[in-house]
Amino acid sequence: MKINTTRAALLASTVLCGAIALSASAASAQTAPAAQGAAAAQTTNEIIVTGTRIKGASNATSASPISVATSASISLTKADSVEEVLQHMTGADFTGGLSNASNNGGVGLSEVSLRNLGPARALVLIDGQRTVPVYSGSLSTPDLNSVPLSMVDRLEVLRDGASSIYGADAIGGVINIITKKNFSGMQMDASYGESGHGDGAVYSVGGAIGVNSDRGNVMVSLNWDHRDSIGQWQRDWAIDPHIGSPAEGGSAYRSQLDILQEESGSLVWANGQQLNKHDGTVNWGAIDPSLLYLPNVGKVKMNAGRNDWNALTGGLDRKQISFNAHYNLTDNLRFIMDGFFTNRDSNQALRPEPLLGDNISTVQPGTSNVLWPGFQLPDSVFTSAGFAAPAASDNHFFYLTPNQFGPRTYRQNSQTYRVRAGFEGTLFDKYDWEAGYVFQENYNRADTLNEGNFNHIAQLSGQIACVDVPGGCKPGTLIDGTASTVPVTMPNWLGGPNNIFTPAQLAYATFNNIDLSYARESYGYANISGPIWDLPAGELKGSIGGEIRQEFLSNTPSDIVQQGWGPNASAPTAGGFNVASVFGELNIPVLKDLPFIESLTLTPSARYDNYTNFGAAFTNKVGIEYKVDRDIRFRASYSTGFRAPSTAELFGGNFVSDLPVDGDPCDSRGSAFGASSGNSNIGVGVLSAGSNCAKALAGVTGALDGTGKVTNFQPAYDEGSATQQQVLEGGNPKLKPELSEQYALGVVFTPRWVEGFSFSIDYYDIRISNAILTGGFGGNQPDVVVNGCYGPAQNQFYCNLISRNPATGGITQITSPNVNFGVEKVRGIDYQFDYDTAAAHLTLPIPGSFRFDLQISNLMKHSTQNPDGTNNNYAGTFNTSAEFVQPRWKGTAAVDYHLGPWTAHWDGQYIGQTHNNDGSAPAEGNKIGDTWYNNISASYTFSDFGFMKKARVTLGIDNVADQDPPFLNSDAVCKCNSIAGPYDFVGRFFYGRISTSF
């Protein structure tokens, strides 16, 4: 994207000026007072732990559990992104977010969730300050892909609510990305890796230069990361049809063929021939290699993962320049400045745009008026070729995945800018203060190549008046009988898969969709902390501060999409808000050095926020840290939380998503067919006279018998579990903020008789009221909507969200704006074990030392409330349409062996079994068993190696056993026989890394 060059130049000049100024300072350092250097060192070494603004606190005395991953520990793994590191940290997950394995309409983002509460409830900080939220359709959340791993010193995950400290969004917890600072000298890093299949190459090059003086430091770093995409056809498991199994076809084989087919009938047309899709004697592979007859299913299906179509993992190319500087103006006053510019190019791919009859109908934006009923063809297409016109019950609707369109290719260019400037210092030698300003923005251009232009397709098919079709127009009759103009030459609709469109018609039927978005966040902040007075048990400390923040977001889809003539019709988005905040906290030592009470400390905090669109909010938290003795320590907290709807949730324009639904509950074929087809909704519907199914299908010829009971209704789309439905999602300016309550209780054992050992248990319980369901009910659980309306509950609330074609009876759309829906609850327990033989001064039978780490998470409950008062329970389940996996048990383990300059490393990841959230019985392709991954590496550190002060070389193998992801046949978003999220799509991966300092 050739924009923002002025900002890039400004950032570069800022870095240059800072370096020049500091170099001048270094030249005169011999005259600077030595006390300034000492003061600088003292200030630099004192840190603030995530979850408090009071300096001097530590993870060891925190009333809230914190997980930490350092750059040293990260360097022993294959991880090349923040996302990958977080996958192995307690508390983090990717429920409801986009990952680097998201391919279906992927936008190149990487989002993170905490406690399975979704990315909107996880606050992401960089050096303790908010990061800019990026537009992603229904949400605006920080993009982890804007932060190269090479700039990370450590990652801290606060596994507790922190709204009273940091404000909105910190309901699930906080992820704090601490960047490298105070570096002196020069460092170069490089890495390369690729899978055992010879693909998926990942490589990076980076460097940093730091200059010290008695008055300060400046560091500038440059980084380049690249990751190749992996095609679905490059993994056998992703295209395995599982011939002969009950789950035959998986999710990779689609009923939407690349040859013309009736919407509800059995006829298909290929190379001018009329065939029957249930005919197993046809040589379908000769027609097209992607077509395969599935004997158990009894019909031909198309491999969506054929060569050059679906990408299994997305590609990424990222370049970044960053700087960090501080300058001591006096002994007690420091100027600080840091920032970065990241340019990310990413890509994904998906099979060609499917034309799915009335399933892709569009409405006029802002109204309920049908703009385009869907893909139809006139009878003349068939009669002119000597075939009988298809059955009238089809209403001229047909399916076609046009092979000639080529795959939908998603390309994004994202540019993120961030600059922070401010001052910090000390008053009266004991009060630490800071004040500063942060400005950050993101520009994103998302191109989707080869999308269908529905207006031009409607002209080519004689549905609307011919205006500018290649080859010209002539007087004629449209499909609906209106006298108008029609194409002189229609496409050869019966000539699929490769001879339907002429080059001119192909160019006319497709377009390149360009979507532009912009996000801006700026805020000023100030804070002061320090001792207040001495208490018998120690020093009472406090902190007080304030913040004024502005947020703005806009999104502009292409004109065709805005007009409703493109896939996933969407309206423009623009909006923002301001918020002013004050906050404070205390660290109160209550008791000390008493029997069974070595120390008892309270940590209350409170925050007041005033939003221009919501008004005031007050949140508070109180923590307690009780140390019995040096062996055992208890920690507990109670907090209230607040999350204001994001700009995207409030002001996002309406857009259409095509989401998988396990069929129509009103289908009269019954539960036996539903079970055999993997279609869990069939058999759920109440079909008796007067039921919601009977009312919805009253106008469909032959659907009801003489008593008014539904006895003969089969939806036109007979795709079983592979059905897709249009869901109309969008912003809702009437949304109210979420409120939460959280309880946490933990205990930490550090027994003196086992030095170097620690064991902790932490329980959490979170309740969110007025919860915001981004994407509404239909966007998250479309099966809940259709079953809630047509199943035993007969809930009219859900029925009001569903639109059907009055003639065919098929579901055409589910309306699902963002909504406040009720209560969400989650609770669980985290366990952590650590043992270091070096810290224990343990003499081993072999030279060297070991370090052991084990982290286990138990999700005990996660539920959301429905409008009818029933609950959805997610713990221990997966869902392919919402693409989440929430095992009850998961964990990681690591062992490091150190011997002088050598380090050997092993780590493993465990993901517990889950069952389908739709309640269907576990079976092949409909369950996920226990999954284990094993990774190894070895490194060697060279000292004074040639012209280098130090060089560290690491070699490793990830997923040593080449473990495939679990097989699922339900309609996962990726259409790849599995589900994205915690599972590895790459396979065994070999890598090497070198880090040098000069």
Side-chain angles (χ1 to χ4, degrees):
M1 182 164 53
K2 303 295 185 181
I3 59 175
N4 311 324
T5 53
T6 301
R7 287 181 173 83
L10 179 61
L11 186 66
S13 63
T14 301
V15 174
L16 182 60
C17 290
I20 293 172
L22 194 62
S23 297
S25 165
S28 60
Q30 57 192 11
T31 64
Q36 287 188 336
Q42 182 179 0
T43 307
T44 298
N45 291 333
E46 191 171 30
I47 66 170
I48 298 178
V49 174
T50 302
T52 180
R53 298 180 188 273
I54 299 175
K55 288 187 177 181
S58 69
N59 288 346
T61 60
S62 172
S64 300
I66 301 173
S67 301
V68 181
T70 66
S71 57
S73 63
I74 294 170
S75 69
L76 295 173
T77 71
K78 173 253 181 185
D80 56 63
S81 66
V82 174
E83 173 186 318
E84 249 186 301
V85 178
L86 289 171
Q87 281 183 337
H88 293 78
M89 294 183 69
T90 301
D93 58 81
F94 294 87
T95 297
L98 295 167
S99 73
N100 289 318
S102 299
N103 71 341
N104 195 338
V107 292
L109 296 178
S110 175
E111 300 169 321
V112 67
S113 162
L114 293 173
R115 303 302 196 197
N116 294 288
L117 292 173
R121 296 170 181 150
L123 181 62
V124 179
L125 307 175
I126 296 179
D127 293 325
Q129 303 293 340
R130 286 175 172 268
T131 56
V132 62
V134 178
Y135 182 73
S136 62
S138 57
L139 283 176
S140 48
T141 58
D143 175 21
L144 298 178
N145 276 340
S146 68
V147 183
L149 196 56
S150 55
M151 72 178 282
V152 175
D153 181 63
R154 68 183 186 276
L155 290 173
E156 294 185 349
V157 177
L158 176 68
R159 309 192 312 267
D160 199 2
S163 291
S164 62
I165 304 294
Y166 299 111
D169 306 336
I171 288 178
V174 178
I175 295 161
N176 195 5
I177 302 170
I178 311 297
T179 61
K180 296 175 180 176
K181 307 177 185 68
N182 303 304
F183 174 75
S184 178
M186 185 168 67
Q187 179 174 316
M188 295 290 293
D189 302 288
S191 66
Y192 180 84
E194 66 176 43
S195 78
H197 299 265
D199 53 26
V202 177
Y203 47 89
S204 66
V205 177
I209 298 176
V211 180
N212 264 338
S213 79
D214 287 336
R215 287 185 177 271
N217 171 275
V218 65
M219 182 183 76
V220 179
S221 64
L222 297 170
N223 297 284
W224 173 44
D225 304 278
H226 180 90
R227 180 176 62 242
D228 286 345
S229 65
I230 297 175
Q232 185 172 339
W233 62 93
Q234 295 175 285
R235 295 294 182 271
D236 290 341
W237 58 263
I239 57 173
D240 185 348
H242 291 263
I243 296 294
S245 81
E248 193 174 67
S251 66
Y253 282 80
R254 317 296 299 167
S255 294
Q256 302 122 11
L257 309 178
D258 60 354
I259 55 178
L260 189 71
Q261 63 185 108
E262 292 180 292
E263 184 174 82
S264 61
S266 300
L267 297 179
V268 298
W269 293 265
N271 297 323
Q273 293 181 290
Q274 180 173 285
L275 304 168
N276 191 302
K277 65 182 179 183
H278 298 290
D279 188 348
T281 65
V282 175
N283 187 354
W284 296 102
I287 295 172
D288 190 83
S290 66
L291 298 178
L292 179 67
Y293 184 79
L294 303 176
N296 278 4
V297 177
K299 66 178 179 180
V300 64
K301 285 194 172 187
M302 181 190 73
N303 177 11
R306 57 171 285 180
N307 285 11
D308 301 322
W309 277 11
N310 287 8
L312 200 57
T313 65
L316 180 142
D317 191 273
R318 175 176 52 207
K319 303 175 182 69
Q320 188 196 62
I321 178 173
S322 64
F323 73 96
N324 188 292
H326 66 264
Y327 184 79
N328 296 311
L329 299 170
T330 70
D331 288 356
N332 296 310
L333 179 62
R334 166 188 288 191
F335 172 73
I336 58 170
M337 191 171 189
D338 57 64
F340 66 81
F341 165 67
T342 302
N343 184 87
R344 168 178 59 83
D345 290 294
S346 48
N347 61 82
Q348 308 83 35
L350 198 62
R351 71 191 189 286
E353 187 78 59
L355 305 177
L356 304 179
D358 59 354
N359 280 282
I360 56 170
S361 62
T362 61
V363 298
Q364 189 174 1
T367 74
S368 58
N369 301 326
V370 175
L371 183 68
W372 184 49
F375 178 53
Q376 296 174 296
L377 292 176
D379 290 344
S380 59
V381 168
F382 307 93
T383 56
S384 63
F387 303 118
S393 60
D394 257 347
N395 215 25
H396 302 282
F397 287 111
F398 295 87
Y399 277 13
L400 173 66
T401 301
N403 186 24
Q404 290 176 269
F405 278 16
R408 285 165 286 176
T409 303
Y410 303 98
R411 296 176 182 170
Q412 304 87 31
N413 176 260
S414 177
Q415 298 184 358
T416 303
Y417 302 83
R418 174 185 169 94
V419 175
R420 178 177 69 142
F423 296 90
E424 60 184 28
T426 305
L427 292 175
F428 311 116
D429 294 325
K430 60 180 180 179
Y431 297 107
D432 298 306
W433 65 272
E434 61 178 352
Y437 179 75
V438 176
F439 180 84
Q440 49 193 349
E441 58 185 357
N442 172 268
Y443 292 85
N444 191 80
R445 170 173 171 157
D447 291 24
T448 306
L449 311 184
N450 306 324
E451 289 219 293
N453 185 324
F454 292 163
N455 179 277
H456 289 177
I457 292 171
Q459 291 188 54
L460 284 167
S461 57
Q463 294 178 262
I464 63 175
C466 176
V467 177
D468 54 359
V469 168
C473 306
K474 64 180 181 180
T477 303
L478 302 179
I479 290 177
D480 64 5
T482 303
S484 184
T485 53
V486 296
V488 172
T489 305
M490 275 193 180
N492 179 20
W493 295 110
L494 310 185
N498 300 310
N499 296 296
I500 295 176
F501 302 98
T502 67
Q505 290 171 338
L506 181 61
Y508 183 75
T510 58
F511 79 108
N512 293 337
N513 186 359
I514 299 174
D515 184 280
L516 302 175
S517 62
Y518 170 72
R520 181 182 70 242
E521 183 179 66
S522 60
Y523 52 93
Y525 64 92
N527 179 68
I528 186 169
S529 67
I532 300 176
W533 62 72
D534 289 332
L535 296 175
E539 202 169 45
L540 170 66
K541 297 180 180 180
S543 171
I544 189 169
E547 178 184 279
I548 298 177
R549 187 172 84 249
Q550 296 180 322
E551 290 194 17
F552 176 80
L553 178 146
S554 67
N555 173 256
T556 307
S558 71
D559 290 341
I560 293 175
V561 171
Q562 289 187 49
Q563 293 163 8
W565 287 111
N568 306 114
S570 178
T573 296
F577 57 82
N578 302 338
V579 56
S581 310
V582 292
F583 44 82
E585 60 177 310
L586 295 171
N587 186 290
I588 308 172
V590 180
L591 298 172
K592 184 179 181 181
D593 297 333
L594 295 174
F596 303 106
I597 306 177
E598 184 169 318
S599 66
L600 177 66
T601 305
L602 295 179
T603 55
S605 60
R607 184 181 180 106
Y608 174 83
D609 298 291
N610 195 309
Y611 285 78
T612 54
N613 50 351
F614 300 117
F618 179 79
T619 53
N620 59 82
K621 179 176 182 177
V622 59
I624 182 170
E625 190 260 339
Y626 166 40
K627 189 173 183 180
V628 179
D629 53 27
R630 61 170 290 186
D631 302 323
I632 184 168
R633 178 170 67 93
F634 293 94
R635 56 192 178 196
S637 66
Y638 165 79
S639 62
T640 61
F642 171 88
R643 185 178 83 83
S646 69
T647 47
E649 289 172 318
L650 289 167
F651 308 112
N654 289 338
F655 63 95
V656 173
S657 295
D658 295 313
L659 299 180
V661 177
D662 285 347
D664 191 335
C666 297
D667 192 317
S668 60
R669 287 175 288 183
S671 56
F673 175 80
S676 65
S677 66
N679 183 342
S680 60
N681 293 347
I682 294 181
V684 172
V686 177
L687 308 183
S688 59
S691 65
N692 287 333
C693 280
K695 294 174 184 176
L697 303 174
V700 180
T701 303
L704 277 60
D705 65 11
T707 67
K709 179 182 178 180
V710 179
T711 56
N712 186 31
F713 175 68
Q714 174 183 329
Y717 38 86
D718 62 343
E719 311 310 321
S721 61
T723 300
Q724 284 189 317
Q725 295 291 354
Q726 286 195 354
V727 178
L728 181 64
E729 303 179 48
N732 181 357
K734 296 181 180 180
L735 287 176
K736 303 298 181 183
E738 295 180 334
L739 303 175
S740 70
E741 283 187 298
Q742 178 166 349
Y743 302 86
L745 176 64
V747 59
V748 182
F749 298 96
T750 52
R752 72 192 76 185
W753 58 87
V754 187
E755 289 190 62
F757 173 80
S758 68
F759 167 53
S760 64
I761 306 174
D762 289 284
Y763 168 82
Y764 61 91
D765 189 316
I766 306 171
R767 183 185 188 274
I768 301 173
S769 59
N770 217 29
I772 297 170
L773 191 60
T774 304
F777 293 100
N780 289 270
Q781 292 277 302
D783 292 310
V784 170
V785 174
V786 295
N787 290 333
C789 170
Y790 302 116
Q794 297 287 289
N795 191 319
Q796 191 58 42
F797 173 88
Y798 291 126
C799 295
N800 294 338
L801 304 177
I802 301 172
S803 299
R804 287 182 178 268
N805 185 305
T808 66
I811 297 174
T812 56
Q813 193 171 86
I814 299 172
T815 302
S816 187
N818 300 334
V819 63
N820 293 102
F821 72 98
V823 175
E824 183 166 1
K825 298 178 181 179
V826 61
R827 68 170 181 260
I829 300 178
D830 297 330
Y831 305 85
Q832 183 164 349
F833 305 78
D834 290 288
Y835 182 57
D836 189 335
T837 63
H841 309 291
L842 187 67
T843 302
L844 301 175
I846 60 173
S849 64
F850 286 91
R851 187 180 186 281
F852 303 89
D853 177 81
L854 176 63
Q855 300 180 43
I856 301 171
S857 295
N858 173 211
L859 178 62
M860 301 168 66
K861 178 180 182 178
H862 183 200
S863 66
T864 58
Q865 189 179 54
N866 294 317
D868 59 5
T870 60
N871 289 315
N872 302 308
N873 297 303
Y874 302 115
T877 72
F878 68 87
N879 181 282
T880 51
S881 60
E883 204 165 44
F884 68 69
V885 180
Q886 299 189 22
R888 288 191 178 274
W889 291 94
K890 64 180 181 179
T892 61
V895 179
D896 294 331
Y897 172 66
H898 301 280
L899 177 61
W902 288 96
T903 299
H905 171 84
W906 167 85
D907 69 80
Q909 183 181 17
Y910 167 74
I911 305 166
Q913 62 182 337
T914 53
H915 63 271
N916 200 323
N917 184 254
D918 66 11
S920 54
E924 182 183 1
N926 195 41
K927 62 179 180 179
I928 299 178
D930 295 333
T931 303
W932 300 82
Y933 293 110
N934 291 279
N935 316 301
I936 58 174
S937 72
S939 66
Y940 185 84
T941 301
F942 300 87
S943 297
D944 298 319
F945 187 68
F947 58 90
M948 296 178 288
K949 291 181 181 178
K950 184 181 290 186
R952 186 179 195 182
V953 178
T954 302
L955 299 174
I957 307 174
D958 233 39
N959 193 355
V960 174
D962 199 23
Q963 173 76 36
D964 290 339
F967 167 59
L968 295 174
N969 74 322
S970 51
D971 193 23
V973 175
C974 71
K975 322 299 182 196
C976 65
N977 285 348
S978 192
I979 185 171
Y983 301 107
D984 179 21
F985 280 10
V986 176
R988 185 182 295 120
F989 189 88
F990 300 88
Y991 64 93
R993 181 183 296 114
I994 183 169
S995 179
T996 64
S997 59
F998 305 89

